């Protein structure tokens, strides 16, 4: 008993010192989170004043409930992950709140109320998403256990992608990406990207030695050997399968882009990136020639203002209306609640970015893009700082997924690239995307906390 007392006392004293130490990261997060909640509340109030001429406290209460959940996540982090990155939660909170305010604004314009209103459903999904993030932070005490389930995650990811083809589950919408379970429907592809990110990270940790083998050097760049092209070709074929079978160009590009980015981080070889870009371009061009719906997306992109293309079914009317909305907003915007975003079809989901651009202007959407940039940079910073190979790849892959999704959607609605069927992270109406993105937030928080606590732990 006497021999064990000093060790026990030492461990107790260490715990007490840790409790008494000021949690600078969490205090910084709290300040930013309160500022984010103030912005969200002001956005909803301005929408009501602009569209209704008066403040309706009921919706403010509902949106305030999301603030309570965000604060609950903050409190959980103080106890179980006090060294987690302090910027991730406030950024996700303000983006979710701004998206909710714009969805609510469009509901006001089209006189949609109750459960039929997209904003009502978005509040419920946002609550589920933040609760899911809290659950992940509490239950996943050590993210490295995910490394054990590398191939299980890969199987789950592929199974989720195939779920819409199960008889009785698919909804037969424009793209075969939706599944209906009872009274609600969701996109399994949003959860599939999380499972595939875990699979890609674990797989690349196990096989990176063979993938980094020296190949032939051409034009100053070392290219991979032909025998090592199997993984990237398999993922490329899976992406093409998604585009052909599910008619989902966005998810196919997203999954392939995520794998190429993680492959580059794992190997450090520029040749893999150039090869990946070449395969993506070749696949897109081939799909535009073979698949009618992909060819129409390219035609809408290249000749959007042609009256014949605007007026045809599946034409560029939606794209043109979104561009006109952005032009109407100008530099400063019309003001929240004072534009006409509902003229654009799917203004709450696919075209949430032009809807915001019309009412908060170029300066406002640039601020939103800066928030995405900071979010991505924090995730990449976690990956660079960590010495755990699996965590580095997972954090990088998840962060790059958010960045690539933003680029694909913003580039599509602004006619920089052909439009695809993805959602803008955190902003757009859609429960599946919101839940998946908040789980990404939770995983980045867990990895960042582990990097600061145990920076020398290495796996693989």
């Amino acid at each position: 008993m006497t021999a064990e007392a000093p060790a026990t006392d030492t461990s107790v004293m260490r715990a007490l010192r840790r409790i008494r130490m000021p949690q600078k990261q969490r205090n910084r997060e709290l300040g930013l989170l309160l500022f984010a909640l103030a912005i969200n509340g002001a956005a909803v109030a301005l929408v009501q004043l602009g569209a209704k001429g008066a403040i309706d406290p009921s919706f403010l209460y509902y949106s305030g409930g999301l603030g309570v959940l965000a604060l609950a996540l903050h409190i959980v982090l103080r106890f179980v992950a006090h060294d987690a990155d302090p910027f991730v939660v406030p950024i996700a909170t303000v983006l979710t709140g701004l998206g909710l305010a714009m969805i609510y604004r469009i509901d006001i314009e089209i006189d949609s109320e109750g459960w039929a209103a997209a904003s009502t459903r978005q509040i419920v999904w946002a609550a589920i998403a933040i609760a899911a993030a809290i659950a992940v932070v509490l239950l996943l005490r050590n993210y490295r256990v995910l490394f054990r389930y590398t191939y299980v995650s890969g199987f789950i990811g592929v199974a989720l992608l195939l779920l819409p083809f199960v008889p009785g589950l698919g909804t037969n919408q424009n793209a075969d990406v939706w599944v209906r379970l009872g009274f609600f429907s969701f996109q399994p592809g949003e959860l599939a990207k999380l499972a595939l990110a875990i699979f890609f990270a674990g797989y690349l940790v196990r096989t990176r030695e063979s993938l980094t083998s020296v190949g032939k050097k051409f034009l100053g760049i070392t290219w991979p050997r032909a025998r090592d092209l199997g993984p990237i070709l398999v993922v490329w074929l899976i992406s093409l399968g998604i585009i052909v079978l599910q008619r989902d160009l966005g998810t196919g590009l997203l999954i392939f882009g995520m794998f190429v980015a993680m492959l580059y981080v794992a190997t450090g070889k520029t040749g893999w990136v150039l090869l990946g870009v070449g395969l993506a371009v070749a696949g897109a061009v081939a799909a535009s020639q073979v698949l009618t719906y992909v060819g129409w997306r390219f035609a809408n992109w290249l000749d959007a203002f042609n009256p014949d293309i605007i007026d045809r079914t599946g034409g560029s009317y939606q794209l043109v209306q979104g561009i006109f909305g952005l032009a109407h907003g100008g530099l400063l915007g019309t003001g929240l609640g004072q534009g006409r975003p509902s003229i654009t079809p799917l203004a709450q989901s696919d075209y949430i970015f032009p809807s915001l651009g019309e009412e908060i202007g170029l300066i406002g959407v640039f601020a939103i893009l800066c928030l995405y940039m900071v979010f991505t940079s924090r995730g990449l910073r976690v990956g660079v700082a960590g010495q755990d190979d699996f965590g580095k790849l997972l954090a990088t892959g998840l962060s790059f997924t958010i960045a690539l999704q933003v680029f694909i959607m913003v580039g599509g609605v602004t006619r920089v690239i052909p439009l695809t069927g993805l959602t803008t992270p955190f902003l757009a109406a859609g429960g599946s995307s919101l839940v998946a993105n908040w789980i990404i937030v939770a995983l980045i928080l867990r990895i960042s906390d582990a990097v600061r606590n145990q920076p020398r732990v290495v796996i693989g």
Side-chain angles (χ1 to χ4, degrees):
M1 294 294 293
T2 307
E4 294 180 359
T8 305
D9 292 342
T10 303
S11 62
V12 170
M13 292 304 297
R14 276 202 303 266
L16 288 174
R17 280 197 298 269
R18 189 161 53 247
I19 292 173
R20 291 172 183 170
M21 284 178 61
Q23 297 188 11
K24 295 181 180 179
Q25 301 289 350
R26 303 279 62 81
N27 293 338
R28 184 182 300 172
E29 179 185 75
L30 178 60
L32 292 172
L33 186 56
L34 292 176
F35 183 56
L37 295 178
I39 292 175
N40 293 345
V44 173
L46 288 172
V47 162
Q48 292 178 340
L49 289 173
K52 291 183 172 182
I55 292 181
D56 178 10
S58 60
F59 193 83
L60 281 172
Y61 295 151
Y62 295 143
S63 56
L66 300 181
V68 173
L69 281 173
L71 289 172
L73 176 57
H74 164 76
I75 293 171
V76 168
L77 291 174
R78 281 187 174 271
F79 285 96
V80 302
H82 53 82
D83 287 326
D85 190 278
F87 294 94
V88 174
V89 173
I91 291 174
T93 301
V94 73
L95 289 173
T96 303
L98 289 175
L100 179 60
M102 180 50 60
I103 296 167
Y104 174 56
R105 185 265 171 279
I106 297 170
D107 282 338
I108 293 174
E109 188 171 352
I110 62 177
D111 295 325
S112 184
E113 298 179 350
W115 188 250
S119 56
T120 303
R121 298 193 298 272
Q122 189 75 354
I123 286 178
V124 174
W125 278 115
I128 294 172
I130 300 175
I134 293 174
V136 170
V137 170
L138 285 173
L139 298 176
L140 190 66
R141 293 303 180 97
N142 184 358
Y143 73 90
R144 297 178 185 88
V145 300
L146 298 175
F147 183 72
R148 304 175 190 171
Y149 303 100
T150 296
Y151 296 103
V152 173
S153 299
F155 174 78
I156 291 173
V158 174
L160 287 170
L161 291 174
L162 296 176
L163 206 57
F165 298 106
V166 176
L169 293 181
T171 59
N172 295 322
Q173 298 188 26
N174 291 333
D176 296 321
V177 297
W178 290 89
V179 166
R180 180 171 294 279
L181 294 176
F183 63 91
F184 77 99
S185 58
F186 73 101
Q187 287 180 277
E190 291 291 341
L191 299 177
K193 69 184 182 185
L194 299 178
L196 290 176
I198 296 170
F199 168 68
F200 291 156
Y203 173 79
L204 290 172
V205 166
R206 289 178 166 90
T207 61
R208 65 175 183 174
E209 289 186 6
S210 62
L211 296 175
T212 53
S213 300
V214 178
K216 292 184 179 180
K217 197 167 186 178
F218 179 68
L219 296 177
I221 299 173
T222 302
W223 299 87
R225 300 176 302 179
R227 71 182 73 172
D228 298 325
L229 297 180
I232 195 171
L233 291 177
V234 169
V235 178
W236 182 63
L237 291 174
I238 291 174
S239 301
L240 287 180
I242 294 171
I243 295 172
V244 173
L245 299 177
Q246 294 190 332
R247 297 170 54 86
D248 188 2
L249 181 61
T251 301
L253 290 175
L254 185 67
I255 290 175
F256 184 67
M258 176 173 62
F259 179 73
V260 172
M262 296 171 74
L263 183 58
Y264 172 71
V265 173
T267 63
K269 302 292 184 182
T270 309
W272 284 113
V273 177
L274 298 177
L275 181 63
V277 172
L279 287 172
V281 172
V285 172
S288 68
Q289 301 298 318
V290 176
L291 302 174
T292 303
Y293 87 97
V294 178
W296 281 18
R297 288 181 185 271
F298 273 80
N300 294 344
W301 170 52
L302 295 172
D303 200 11
F305 292 92
N306 185 333
D308 294 332
I309 293 180
I310 292 175
D311 296 333
R312 75 182 181 186
T313 303
S316 60
Y317 174 79
Q318 184 184 32
L319 176 61
V320 169
Q321 289 298 325
I323 292 173
F324 283 157
L326 287 170
H328 184 217
L331 186 64
L332 299 176
T334 61
L336 286 171
Q338 299 183 34
R340 301 178 65 190
S342 64
I343 294 177
T344 305
L346 299 177
Q348 296 122 315
S349 53
D350 291 4
Y351 275 74
I352 190 73
F353 191 80
S355 300
L356 283 163
E358 181 176 355
E359 299 204 340
I360 65 177
L362 183 65
I363 293 177
V365 294
F366 270 15
I368 289 175
L369 291 177
C370 287
L371 288 174
Y372 281 121
M373 182 178 67
V374 174
F375 183 96
T376 303
S377 67
R378 300 306 293 186
L380 294 177
R381 183 175 181 271
V382 170
V384 171
Q387 296 181 21
D388 167 15
D389 299 325
F390 176 72
K392 177 183 295 187
L393 289 173
L394 184 58
T396 302
L398 294 174
S399 304
F400 182 80
T401 299
I402 296 291
L404 182 59
Q405 199 165 337
V406 172
F407 170 75
I408 290 174
M409 280 311 301
V410 175
V413 299
T414 55
R415 206 178 160 215
V416 174
I417 59 175
L419 185 66
T420 63
L422 290 174
T423 57
T424 310
F426 301 107
L427 290 176
S432 311
S433 174
L434 201 57
V435 171
N437 291 324
W438 272 96
I439 292 176
I440 288 176
V441 168
L443 291 173
I444 291 176
L445 290 171
R446 265 300 171 200
I447 296 172
S448 63
D449 178 63
V451 165
R452 289 189 173 94
N453 279 328
Q454 298 175 328
R456 296 184 180 178
V457 175
V458 180
I459 352 179

